[in-house]
């Protein structure tokens, strides 16, 4: 059997929407993007959403819009994709890592206060695998020290916890539509927020810092535009938005299937010694973006390879990022700095999780994992 690590859900409806856009004159940011932004803000319950080129861009611009600048510190997790930290570094600020919870791999809110200094300006939690961080605690700490909270929600638009959804307890939430994300346009991202002034600023920063987008210039009576801010080129195109609209419509249906598969994995693996997996926090709905198993670090790579040999696509999400060369060399991190994150990073194996998986494939994956660890 050959089971890809990931298969996207792009089908005839998405393709015909893309063709419709290609047949129109307007390929860059325009009506299709605006439609997607409205639907995304409805979905997550925010006042505003802005389509961008990537989640990295969304994180970068959110941090900038809230004034994060050189010399500042931003508290985040080492158990994430590098983009979380590089977005901080692109503002000139320093990422300050704190260790994670052993049960979830999410930032350990109990450790955040000890990392706050007079340079700390923001907290950047990551909802790893789609399991939501303890946003109530994080908001409390942020309020106590007057910090901004930006969510790296690249792994979920669907999650909630303690009655709060993504973006409800933060200043902005950032999403990814990268090729292996649950909803994808190959490359793409977005930010949701409830602050009109910051939303307008992010929009402007996403397009060079100029005062009018191409759609406005094209559809309205010609007016000269100005550039009064130094911006970036991060805007989403109508082609990307055409791929995303129908997937967003089906997000709940896709989530249902990922949840069903995740529960089958959990049932099968809960009975096994030598294998563990992240716990969905109480009072929460997980976005169910990735399913990772945690095995003995001594056997992790062999388990990975043996699953590959059985034709199963696997990934590692993630090795703790403070131990990657750049972070070691520029921040002086050594092994032992964040032992829980390091241990998860050495134990973790992501196995396939997407709606197109058949029950037969899921059974094959379960049996292969069981064989590989026993
Ligand atoms: C994928 C991912 C990103 C980056 O998303 P892009 O859209 O590729 O920029 C950031 N953080 C996490 C946790 C991710 O998984």
């Amino acid at each position: 059997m050959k089971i890809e690590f990931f298969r996207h859900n792009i089908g005839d409806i998405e393709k015909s929407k893309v063709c419709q856009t290609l047949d129109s004159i307007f390929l860059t940011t325009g009506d299709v993007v605006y439609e997607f932004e409205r639907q995304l803000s409805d979905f997550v319950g925010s006042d505003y959403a802005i389509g961008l080129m990537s989640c990295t861009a969304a994180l970068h611009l959110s941090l900038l819009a809230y004034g994060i600048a050189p010399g500042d510190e931003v508290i985040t997790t080492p158990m994430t994709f590098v983009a979380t930290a590089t977005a901080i570094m692109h503002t000139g600020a320093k990422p300050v890592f704190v260790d994670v919870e052993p049960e979830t791999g999410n930032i350990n809110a109990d450790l955040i206060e000890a990392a706050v200094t007079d340079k700390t300006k923001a907290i950047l939690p990551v909802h790893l695998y789609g399991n939501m961080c303890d946003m109530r605690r994080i908001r409390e700490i942020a309020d106590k020290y007057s910090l901004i909270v930006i969510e790296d929600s690249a792994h979920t638009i669907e999650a909630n916890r303690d009655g709060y959804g993504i973006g409800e307890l933060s200043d902005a939430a950032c999403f990814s539509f990268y090729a292996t994300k649950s909803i994808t346009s190959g490359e793409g991202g977005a930010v949701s927020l409830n602050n009109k002034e910051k939303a307008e600023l992010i929009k402007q920063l996403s397009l060079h810092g100029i005062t009018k987008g191409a759609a406005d210039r094209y559809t309205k009576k010609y007016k000269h535009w100005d550039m009064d801010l130094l911006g970036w080129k991060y805007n989403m195109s109508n082609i990307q938005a055409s791929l995303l609209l129908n997937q967003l419509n089906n997000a709940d249906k896709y989530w249902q299937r990922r949840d069903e598969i995740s529960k089958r994995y959990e049932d099968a693996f809960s009975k096994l010694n030598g294998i563990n997996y992240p716990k969905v926090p109480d009072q929460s709905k997980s976005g169910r973006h990735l399913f990772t198993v945690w095995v003995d670090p001594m056997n992790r790579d062999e388990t990975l390879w043996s699953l590959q040999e059985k034709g199963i696509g696997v990934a590692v999400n993630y090795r703790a990022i403070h131990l990657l060369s750049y972070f070691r060399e520029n921040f002086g991190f050594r092994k032992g700095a964040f032992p829980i994150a390091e241990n998860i990073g050495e134990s973790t194996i992501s196995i396939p999780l997407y709606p197109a998986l058949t029950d037969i494939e899921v059974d094959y994956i379960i049996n292969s994992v069981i064989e590989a660890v026993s």
Side-chain angles (χ1 to χ4, degrees):
M1 215 181 275
K2 171 90 186 125
I3 306 175
E4 305 294 345
F5 177 66
F6 181 75
R7 272 179 266 158
H8 62 67
N9 303 302
I10 290 167
D12 291 341
I13 296 175
E14 286 80 5
K15 288 178 196 165
S16 76
K17 184 74 190 166
V18 170
C19 286
Q20 198 186 323
T21 298
L22 294 178
D23 286 336
S24 81
I25 194 148
F26 216 82
L27 306 184
T28 182
T29 312
D31 285 343
V32 193
V33 174
Y34 305 150
E35 177 60 25
F36 175 67
E37 291 175 341
R38 274 192 296 277
Q39 294 198 13
L40 181 65
S41 61
D42 280 353
F43 190 96
V44 299
S46 66
D47 291 344
Y48 308 98
I50 300 155
L52 296 166
M53 265 309 294
S54 66
C55 182
T56 311
L59 291 165
H60 182 198
L61 293 188
S62 301
L63 291 163
L64 288 174
Y66 282 98
I68 311 308
D72 294 342
E73 294 179 355
V74 178
I75 295 174
T76 191
T77 167
M79 181 37 60
T80 184
F81 183 58
V82 291
T84 313
T86 60
I88 295 168
M89 280 144 40
H90 287 323
T91 69
K94 181 182 166 193
V96 172
F97 297 123
V98 303
D99 212 349
V100 300
E101 304 168 335
E103 303 82 16
T104 62
N106 276 337
I107 191 166
N108 187 337
D110 289 335
L111 303 177
I112 292 176
E113 273 197 87
V116 174
T117 72
D118 54 11
K119 292 179 178 166
T120 309
K121 289 285 159 55
I123 308 173
L124 208 174
V126 179
H127 306 306
L128 191 66
Y129 314 137
N131 291 327
M132 209 160 153
C133 297
D134 189 348
M135 290 304 295
R136 279 201 308 189
R137 276 295 308 288
I138 291 171
R139 185 75 254 175
E140 269 169 29
I141 298 164
D143 287 345
K144 182 167 169 189
Y145 296 95
S146 302
L147 307 176
I148 296 298
V149 179
I150 311 277
E151 290 169 83
D152 180 337
S153 205
H155 288 188
T156 179
I157 60 171
E158 306 92 342
N160 60 53
R161 179 167 174 176
D162 303 318
Y164 293 96
I166 302 294
E168 274 195 79
L169 292 173
S170 66
D171 297 283
C174 301
F175 306 99
S176 176
F177 311 117
Y178 173 69
T180 55
K181 298 306 202 285
S182 298
I183 288 179
T184 180
S185 47
E187 301 286 351
V191 52
S192 74
L193 68 173
N194 300 318
N195 181 320
K196 182 163 194 261
E197 181 203 339
K198 302 296 184 194
E200 284 169 1
L201 179 55
I202 289 172
K203 189 118 212 177
Q204 190 179 351
L205 289 173
S206 77
L207 202 68
H208 309 291
I210 64 176
T211 50
K212 283 257 178 292
D216 292 342
R217 301 201 303 274
Y218 177 78
T219 52
K220 308 221 171 87
K221 185 177 171 194
Y222 196 90
K223 278 217 189 83
H224 297 291
W225 49 265
D226 191 17
M227 173 190 145
D228 54 5
L229 289 170
L230 178 59
W232 278 261
K233 187 62 170 69
Y234 284 165
N235 56 310
M236 177 181 275
S237 76
N238 274 355
I239 302 172
Q240 287 168 301
S242 299
L243 285 165
L244 294 169
L245 276 171
N246 187 56
Q247 293 180 73
L248 185 59
N249 271 330
N250 285 308
D252 286 325
K253 188 179 84 187
Y254 295 150
W255 177 87
Q256 290 287 350
R257 178 62 182 152
R258 295 197 308 274
D259 188 50
E260 199 174 278
I261 297 166
S262 300
K263 285 179 173 148
R264 290 185 58 181
Y265 285 150
E266 288 173 347
D267 278 351
F269 302 145
S270 64
K271 303 175 196 104
L272 287 180
N273 289 326
I275 190 164
N276 203 349
Y277 49 84
K279 184 174 176 292
V280 175
D282 294 339
Q283 309 300 324
S284 79
K285 169 181 172 178
S286 171
R288 297 297 201 184
H289 171 53
L290 289 168
F291 196 94
T292 73
V293 293
W294 294 338
V295 302
D296 185 340
M298 300 290 286
N299 310 328
R300 193 267 303 274
D301 288 354
E302 272 171 31
T303 309
L304 264 179
W305 295 325
S306 99
L307 292 173
Q308 280 188 312
E309 271 163 28
K310 291 173 196 287
I312 298 171
V314 287
V316 171
N317 306 95
Y318 302 90
R319 291 186 301 147
I321 63 172
H322 66 283
L323 295 180
L324 300 176
S325 300
Y326 186 90
F327 294 90
R328 285 180 189 255
E329 285 160 24
N330 286 276
F331 300 103
F333 290 121
R334 296 283 171 272
K335 214 171 158 62
F338 307 105
I340 312 276
E342 289 167 22
N343 185 56
I344 291 174
E346 287 167 14
S347 312
T348 193
I349 299 173
S350 299
I351 57 177
L353 178 64
Y354 47 86
L357 280 176
T358 66
D359 288 348
I360 291 168
E361 288 174 322
V362 172
D363 287 338
Y364 179 78
I365 294 164
I366 289 171
N367 290 331
S368 302
V369 171
I370 292 173
E371 260 174 51
V373 296
S374 48

